[in-house]
Amino acid sequence: MIWVISRFIVEAYKKVSDSGKDKIVEKTGGNSSIMTIPDSGCVMENGASCLPCTPEEEKKIVTDLRNESERNLKEGNLYFVISSSWFRKWERYVGIDGDENLIGNQSSDSRHINGASSVVAERPGPIDNSDIVENGSDSDGKGNDIQLRRMLIEGQDYVLVPQGVWEKLHGWYKGGPELPRKMILQGVYHKKFDVEVYPLCLKLVDSRDESQSTIWLSRKASLTELFQKVCALKGIEQDKVRIWDYFNKRKYAQLSVSNKTLEESNLQMDQDILLELVDGHLSSKIGMDSTGNDLALVSLEPSRSPLTIAGGPTLSNGHSGYRSNLYPGSSLGSGLTDMDDGFDACNSARKGEKGGLAGLQNLGNTCFMNSALQCLVHTPPLVEYFLKDCRAEINTDNPLGMHGELALAFGDLLRKLWSSGRTAIAPRVFKGKLARFAPQFSGYNQHDSQELLAFLLDGLHEDLNRVKQKPYIEMKDSDGRPDEEVAAECWKNHKARNDSVIVDVCQGQYKSTLVCPVCSKISITFDPFMYLSLPLPSTITRTMTVTVFYGDGSRLPMPFTVSVLKNGFCKDLLLALGTACGLKSDESLMLAEVYENKIYRYLEMPLEPLASIKDDEHIVAFRFQKKEIGKTRLVIFHRWQEKAELFGTPLVTYLVADQSSGADIEAAVSKVLSPFKKTSSAKAHVGKENGILLDGLDEECSCSDAQSVENAELEGTSCTDLSIPLRLTDDRVMNFNAFKKDTLFESGKIIGKLLRVVLDWTDKEQELYDSSYLKDIPEVYKAGLAAKKTRQEAISLSSCLDAFLIEEPLGPDDMWYCPRCKEHRQAIKKLDLWMLPEIIVFHLKRFTYGRYLKNKIDTFVNFPIHDLDLSKYVMSKDGQSYLYELYAISNHYGGLGGGHYTAYAKLIDENRWYHFDDSHVSAVNESDIKTSAAYLLFYKRVRSESKVEAGEASHSHSIS
């Protein structure tokens, strides 16, 4: 009976379809037991496991559930964290390769070898998350109590799966621990869904006994929820509790029961919060300020200060950026400010301490932000702007801005840094505002200082835009008008919509020229820029090896290795190859791609992208004199007669006459093969240098040539005689027909004017010719044969600029709509600098990203500190000075996973450089600031002597 039931179950299992459920009823002794096999075929109604799914079924179920989850994104959806090491085993088991990898980051061990479906990986064991949780091997715990290890990277250390996927995987494999995380919606204007992998960790300090407790809450949780959790933890009634934002062991702001979120309250990861009782049971150590006096309890909504954090009076609409209590002792009048250490800015000025030497505290992986901020707050025009009253320019109504809050927060931070002496500042409020408006910078993951700089400059511009109502302006094409006229028109239109201190100081203009590769339509526009992202020359070129054959049979084939643009075209390869092989003006090259001993395609179109040529392919070039290029192309294939299989690289030549006979074709083949002949006489006195026969055949291969005569005597044939039999073939080189010398071939009757013949080689012919030149063709690029890697030589900033301004094709994902063709085209783009700003920022593109490869380039870039002359790069002759001086650097040390950012900045008034490493600030010699870590370079225009004198007369501030 047991065997019958088992067989019945197996047969029923095989009948399960994806569209519905099959119920199996087995009656025994008058009782019926119902087993339901759902779509997955793996769970019964009673919850017990049945027969496992096949790998293909598991893959389909998970893929469908994942796609369904992506279609129904909403706040509050549950996701589960799974260790990547286990998930990759499951992916291998179900046959997910690199192209459909669910993690989004692929390691080499998770790819199938040669895509062989016959290789089946073992079924993984129970889900094991022990390598990503703090308390290791506890597989029975719940995710609410178990915390992830810090600094994990999604895709590399863990993967997020929707709740439905987790339930299936856990049902199939069990294990754990389960680590649920909620999806939250972040941002004000640029909202995005994000799974909160790391909830906010707060350390509750009890003022009664100084004991500490850890509280985990979502950053989207309200202050009401925080109070409820604290009171439940301590067993205290809510109306008897006060909770303080307790940052750096000081009371920062009192928190109140409200719907305000922890994120909006600027609470940071791992910071302290202080618990006090209303009845006065306060700790004497915690509740005292630096003078020993009790800290006064400030009302939550005090009267506003007459100054905003940007330095000007409160706006008429009451908007001041922050709605919290004033910090005791702060003279700047901000509500919730970055001055958390109780330092009085006015006292700093009275003490005579120098400004601009304050560090920024690291709030948790915020070195990228600190580095970019130090460069900006040491930008002289911005310092001068934000230290004065700029209230009239705060734009609270700009829909593209942040209601002025970002500019206010930045202005407040800049004032603190320039007035706090050497006291380090914690940029908590600024980071809170940044995360609110740019969710990509929320949390405490490492980010890119250039990405922050780009967002911050754009955000400051929109918050300070003097244009309240942007007019609609229709852009016009250049239509052959003078560049000066078009550039002035474009800049005028840009200023009509964008007018701020950022535009005044940081924006320049470049000329963009697009050429349609089909109709040659030229479009010229003049666009603004805020910074220049310069490629490092080593990142934009690739090495390619191409073997050059001589169509007239005058020389042996020769491989040449050239360097070309990665995003270039075949015309770039032809140009580089022509230079390398000494191509003459009356000669031309034809490129062909050889695949499986056949010419797969001809790369004659100049705009064929080089990206389509793979490293392991064979590319050959046939060299012809232009007078030899006729109407019919002759392609010669090679076949071993005994094995009836193709080998070697096909040869190409031309038939010049309109009408050719079989004898003419045989003579042409013999001429092309002549350099490969092996003769004792040739070995005796014919040398070979760079693939050229020094004393052998001339370019015309005439029978009167001494060497040809000698060869003919040795072989008993004329130079046009060919001992290897020929066959006619088709384009697939599959069918072979007889070849006769007296047959006439008219070019008009040859399909595509292409004639294909096959040489039937035998062992006898192998003794007469050296076919190794046909067999041993090098690949385009062979890493294993490359020379030993040596340290890259230093490159100059000017070479990076040259690489930035070089002509290049647009990428396939960035094609241009040609107004003449009425189609999107992969146009040729050329950039030129037209107008440069007072402050110019160079971004060195050290990071390269691919599907399976991420890399950082540590090449040393030699950049000038003084007298950077950019006049040769500027097309406009507007009389401006284009001499620049370096004043700040953002540095990146290390690799992609564990890097660190610092900054160098120059105090203009004392002409001295300083190193800013988060909170630590130290003087540094100018000779030491040039390193291979330089990532962002900040330059300011050097003014003429007359302008400097005028500036000193009108500005009293020494750093202006």
Side-chain angles (χ1 to χ4, degrees), residues 6 41 98 136 159 167 234 264 274 378 481 739 752 761 778 789 793 806 879 927 929 948:
S6 299
V159 56
E167 290 172 352
K234 292 295 184 178
E264 292 170 341
L274 178 65
H378 286 87
R481 291 181 293 161
F739 178 86
W761 293 79
K789 208 169 186 181
E793 296 182 0
I806 199 169
S927 58
I929 66 173
V948 171

Side-chain angles (χ1 to χ4, degrees), residues 186-190 263-264 405 431-439:
Q186 297 195 88
V188 177
Y189 299 108
H190 309 286
E263 183 179 46
E264 292 170 341
E405 293 186 40
K431 185 183 184 304
K433 293 296 178 184
L434 180 70
R436 186 181 176 204
F437 294 105

Side-chain angles (χ1 to χ4, degrees), residues 485-536:
E485 178 184 337
V486 180
E489 179 184 89
C490 290
W491 187 252
K492 179 182 177 182
N493 293 341
H494 176 66
K495 287 280 286 183
R497 295 172 54 85
N498 303 275
D499 185 16
S500 70
V501 65
I502 303 300
V503 175
D504 297 341
V505 171
C506 301
Q507 283 198 356
Q509 190 182 34
Y510 60 76
K511 175 185 176 183
S512 176
T513 305
L514 292 172
V515 181
C516 178
V518 178
C519 70
S520 300
K521 163 71 176 175
I522 298 176
S523 175
I524 297 176
T525 58
F526 290 83
D527 304 306
F529 68 85
M530 198 96 71
Y531 51 87
L532 297 177
S533 292
L534 307 184
L536 276 62

Side-chain angles (χ1 to χ4, degrees), residues 677-686 707 710-711 714-715:
K677 282 187 177 180
K678 295 189 295 187
T679 65
S680 57
S681 176
K683 292 178 181 177
H685 72 276
V686 177
Q707 180 59 37
E710 188 172 2
N711 288 344
L714 288 170
E715 300 296 332

Side-chain angles (χ1 to χ4, degrees), residues 5 122 175 339 354 393 651 716:
I5 294 175
E122 292 184 6
M339 185 67 69
K354 294 178 181 178
E393 296 192 349
L651 301 173

